[in-house]
Amino acid sequence: MAELTAQQKIEVIVKALDSKRAEDIQTIKIGDLTIIADYFIIANGTSNIHTKSLAEEVEFKMTQLGIEPLRTEGYQGQNWIVLDYGDVVVHVFYKETRDQYNLERLWSDGTSVDISQYIVKE
């Protein structure tokens, strides 16, 4: 299987999060600001169980395409789960934890990416 571009990864990840009703999915281009990654995808669940199921769905959809995360963190606490796919890093928060860390503000120099075409409208 060919390596996916960052844009293709974003599409798969956002659709996976959206399919499980993640709240407030944001994608931020940070490649000009850091070597950590090119993009952050940030979303939150409404409970610890929801947060865990969001992360598991992303992992499942990516694994189906032959892509495993370079590393994962946070499954134990389920307040903030990080899935590192190299150029794209996914942050799945429990809502209160997301409000506390406010990554969007920390990375406000990044560029917001329009992902509306991947979100299913109710």
Side-chain angles (χ1 to χ4, degrees), residues 5 11 14 28 33 37 53 58 61 68 85-86 102 106 108 110:
T5 65
E11 179 176 357
V14 169
I28 305 170
L33 306 173
S53 74
V58 169
K61 292 294 190 197
E68 298 300 327
Y85 289 102
N102 198 347
L106 280 174
S108 60

Side-chain angles (χ1 to χ4, degrees), residues 84-104:
D84 182 350
Y85 289 102
D87 49 358
V88 179
V89 176
V90 185
H91 299 269
V92 184
F93 285 100
Y94 176 57
K95 184 163 179 23
E96 278 70 21
T97 309
R98 181 179 182 168
D99 293 343
Q100 182 181 345
Y101 286 97
N102 198 347
L103 284 190
E104 293 92 330

Side-chain angles (χ1 to χ4, degrees), residues 48-108:
N48 289 10
I49 292 164
H50 185 213
T51 300
K52 182 172 183 270
S53 74
L54 291 170
E56 287 174 341
E57 182 68 9
V58 169
E59 274 204 80
F60 175 70
K61 292 294 190 197
M62 293 295 276
T63 298
Q64 281 186 316
L65 299 171
I67 301 171
E68 298 300 327
L70 302 176
R71 61 192 180 101
T72 64
E73 289 181 24
Y75 272 112
Q76 301 75 23
Q78 301 173 6
N79 282 329
W80 179 0
I81 300 172
V82 179
L83 304 172
D84 182 350
Y85 289 102
D87 49 358
V88 179
V89 176
V90 185
H91 299 269
V92 184
F93 285 100
Y94 176 57
K95 184 163 179 23
E96 278 70 21
T97 309
R98 181 179 182 168
D99 293 343
Q100 182 181 345
Y101 286 97
N102 198 347
L103 284 190
E104 293 92 330
R105 186 178 51 73
L106 280 174
W107 292 96
S108 60

